[in-house]
Amino acid sequence: MERALIILKPDAVQRGLIGPILTRIEQRGLKLQGLKLMQVDEALARRHYAEHEGKGFFGSLVDYITSAPVVVAVVGGKTGTVEMVRAMVGATNPAKAAPGTIRGDFGVEIGRNLIHASDSPESGERETAIFFQPAELITDWPRVSDPWIYE
Ligand SMILES: Nc1ncnc2c1ncn2[C@@H]1O[C@H](COP(=O)(O)OP(=O)(O)OP(=O)(O)O)[C@@H](O)[C@H]1O
Ligand SMILES: [Mg+2]
């Protein structure tokens, strides 16, 4: 089992795209373990994006993610879930993201790319622990559709 943290960034929330983006996750058959609306503060933004500290875009990235509320979600499932979510999200730069991906269908610029998704199972665990208390997550709940999605 593995999980990915997803952040619907401020532009996705402001543009009314929470529903359309989460719909894609649900329609795929992926399963939520946690979901909430929140305001990211500077300390949290810097911690989440620590790997990018020192890069030219770091300041604007922190400004962007802290500029308005976001929706954070944890998606859990079998091995391969993180890779599946990344494929649905598409290339970092929406201008180069394939049609059919979230960034390729909804965005045009790298600084407004709508969504974050963990890039590995290890990142998924690290980022989930940053954004959610254990009590906020439901890690193993039976879903009536599970047998129709997982063989
Ligand atoms: N060259 C750049 N110019 C402006 N912003 C950038 C640039 N590269 C990355 N970013 C911003 O920093 C975020 C993190 O970059 P990263 O390389 O981790 O891409 P990603 O993994 O596709 O995106 P994310 O981590 O948000 O899911 C990007 O989503 C984008 O918002
Ligand atoms: Mg990344």
Side-chain angles (χ1 to χ4, degrees), residues 14-53:
Q14 294 292 330
R15 291 174 57 195
L17 295 174
I18 300 169
I21 294 173
L22 289 181
T23 293
R24 292 179 176 218
I25 306 284
E26 280 194 297
Q27 285 180 333
R28 185 78 186 263
L30 296 172
K31 200 164 166 181
L32 290 175
Q33 294 186 353
L35 180 67
K36 64 181 173 185
L37 179 76
M38 67 179 290
Q39 176 74 44
V40 176
D41 67 18
E42 191 187 330
L44 181 60
R46 297 179 83 92
R47 192 170 162 211
H48 171 66
Y49 279 128
E51 64 174 305
H52 298 301
E53 189 134 28

Side-chain angles (χ1 to χ4, degrees), residues 56-114:
F57 60 81
F58 187 70
S60 62
L61 178 57
V62 170
D63 287 348
Y64 167 41
I65 206 79
T66 59
S67 61
V70 300
V71 167
V72 286
V74 175
V75 176
K78 288 183 176 175
T79 303
T81 298
V82 168
E83 199 181 342
M84 235 188 285
V85 172
R86 286 284 288 192
M88 292 174 76
V89 165
T92 304
N93 187 348
K96 298 195 173 134
T101 65
I102 292 163
R103 288 169 175 163
D105 286 349
F106 296 123
V108 290
E109 278 197 341
I110 194 164
R112 295 288 182 268
N113 64 358
L114 297 148

